[in-house]
Amino acid sequence: MRILVCGGAGFIGSAFVHQRVAAGDDVRVLDALTYAGREENLDGLDVDLVIGRIEDPGAVEQAAADVEAIVNFAAETHVDRSILDAQAFVTTNAVGTFTLLEEARRRGVRYVQVSTDEVYGSIDDGAFTEQHPLEPSSPYSASKAGADLMVLAAHHTYGQDVVIARGSNCYGPRQFPEKLIPIMVLNAIHGGPLPVYGDGQQVRTWLHVDDFASGIHAVLEHGAAGQAYNVGGAKEKVNLDVVSRIVDLTDASPSQVKHVEDRLGHDRRYALDSSKLRQLAGWAPRVDFDEGGLESTVHWYRDHEWWWRPLVETAEYRAYYRRVYDRDPDF
């Protein structure tokens, strides 16, 4: 299959590209190579890389030539950044999605939108099904929810062949060091503080990036047009417990854990019911968070300083870290 993977040089997108190239698909990547997208994530792969933004119709038209499907990973993703400056999130996540949808409609190809559990908001008990209303809490999740609605509207209005894959919190190799797990791993290894928002009792369901990538492929292959599919992890974890486990895996000191002022609009709990996708395609997560998933991720960051060191030494990253944590990074 000839697939255009937008955002394919990023964290989740590159995992999907690695899987599809290994399976024999012909992959073209469109990526703006912003702070979280890196050519190094595609090292060793025979892919055609087009550098450009998904909100640029010219770049999208060039990249989409002769493809049979478009899979969109390209997004601004970090909630903290969206709280500090939401404009880029609206531009990329909403306008960019619209631009891709128009190109997919013009070419008559299948379109897959990669989304997030955060579009549902927070849930106290049970798990979100695809029938739950969208109640986003942050500028990030609102921009993703808006994109999801445009995708569904494209099907209802124009009959486009579109599907949505909504994932739970991902972890694994090549994740930019601003999300919970990589930032805690690097701080723990280097003796820095481990800043935990509020009481740290927020609950997330963790999904290894390779499992999300395989779930997205299942949606691409088997998903019914106009439908959304939850791709959720199997392990529900309290944030503070995840940080404590990272302390154990890195031989850090528990005294490094520092509770800081809670994030604005912080969702308390996410959980996804993935039975719709399981019944459709037999998909299930294979990497166990407790039985090697988190530990292998910690080892990856230990062994790949060449990958993350150039990122954290940039002036932009240091300025961002100071804005969020009120201090310089210690690694």
Side-chain angles (χ1 to χ4, degrees):
M1 193 175 195
R2 292 188 303 278
I3 308 172
L4 172 60
V5 181
C6 304
F11 168 49
I12 304 173
S14 63
F16 181 82
V17 172
H18 277 266
Q19 288 186 4
R20 299 327 312 151
V21 170
D25 286 332
D26 182 5
V27 177
R28 182 178 300 136
V29 170
L30 173 63
D31 201 294
L33 298 182
T34 57
Y35 73 95
R38 306 182 67 198
E39 289 188 69
E40 293 91 333
N41 291 343
L42 303 174
D43 280 353
L45 298 181
D46 182 16
V47 297
D48 179 16
L49 173 62
V50 178
I51 300 174
R53 306 192 67 89
I54 60 170
E55 60 267 30
D56 178 357
V60 170
E61 181 179 9
Q62 174 191 352
D66 302 322
V67 301
E68 299 169 85
I70 298 173
V71 184
N72 181 31
F73 294 85
E76 297 286 344
T77 65
H78 193 39
V79 173
D80 286 337
R81 288 180 183 264
S82 79
I83 293 171
L84 294 171
D85 182 9
Q87 182 172 352
F89 289 75
V90 175
T91 300
T92 299
N93 299 355
V95 178
T97 295
F98 170 76
T99 304
L100 292 173
L101 282 169
E102 287 291 280
E103 187 66 22
R105 179 159 69 101
R106 190 173 73 85
R107 294 185 179 277
V109 299
R110 165 155 275 213
Y111 177 86
V112 180
Q113 176 73 1
V114 179
S115 188
T116 170
D117 56 2
E118 296 189 40
V119 299
Y120 294 118
S122 187
I123 188 169
D124 293 332
D125 300 296
F128 289 115
T129 71
E130 294 83 354
Q131 300 306 310
H132 274 79
L134 306 188
E135 297 181 354
S137 303
S138 69
Y140 160 62
S141 56
S143 68
K144 292 295 287 185
D148 281 11
L149 292 174
M150 281 193 291
V151 171
L152 296 175
H155 174 72
H156 291 298
T157 303
Y158 305 114
Q160 278 188 251
D161 183 8
V162 298
V163 284
I164 299 172
R166 295 181 179 137
S168 57
N169 281 56
C170 277
Y171 72 101
R174 300 188 296 272
Q175 188 172 31
F176 188 81
E178 63 184 359
K179 299 297 180 74
L180 177 70
I181 287 178
I183 196 70
M184 293 297 173
V185 170
L186 295 186
N187 276 341
I189 290 172
H190 295 92
L194 306 180
V196 175
Y197 281 131
D199 61 7
Q201 296 303 303
Q202 303 87 1
V203 177
R204 302 292 183 260
T205 306
W206 292 95
L207 178 67
H208 194 275
V209 64
D210 290 339
D211 284 330
F212 191 25
S214 67
I216 292 163
H217 180 250
V219 172
L220 168 64
E221 278 208 325
H222 304 289
Q227 294 292 309
Y229 296 88
N230 291 338
V231 189
K235 286 296 175 73
E236 194 173 283
K237 295 291 181 181
V238 174
N239 281 355
L240 189 57
D241 292 343
V242 173
V243 175
S244 297
R245 180 59 179 151
I246 290 171
V247 168
D248 293 340
L249 290 171
T250 58
D251 295 323
S253 168
S255 65
Q256 292 172 236
V257 178
K258 307 292 183 185
H259 289 266
V260 299
E261 184 178 354
D262 205 356
R263 170 193 286 164
L264 295 174
H266 203 171
D267 288 329
R268 195 66 172 172
R269 177 176 176 268
Y270 301 135
L272 289 181
D273 181 339
S274 303
S275 57
K276 182 178 177 181
L277 181 60
R278 290 171 184 261
Q279 294 167 9
L280 174 74
W283 174 87
R286 301 178 62 183
V287 181
D288 189 287
F289 186 85
D290 294 320
E291 301 298 326
L294 181 60
E295 185 174 7
S296 64
T297 301
V298 170
H299 287 316
W300 189 90
Y301 282 96
R302 278 191 184 277
D303 296 339
H304 290 79
E305 183 170 349
W306 66 266
W307 184 91
W308 58 260
R309 176 63 68 179
L311 302 178
V312 303
E313 290 183 343
T314 65
E316 189 278 340
Y317 182 86
R318 296 179 70 84
Y320 160 76
Y321 194 95
R322 284 194 297 269
R323 289 176 74 186
V324 175
Y325 300 113
D326 196 29
R327 62 183 300 134
D328 283 315
D330 293 321
F331 37 82

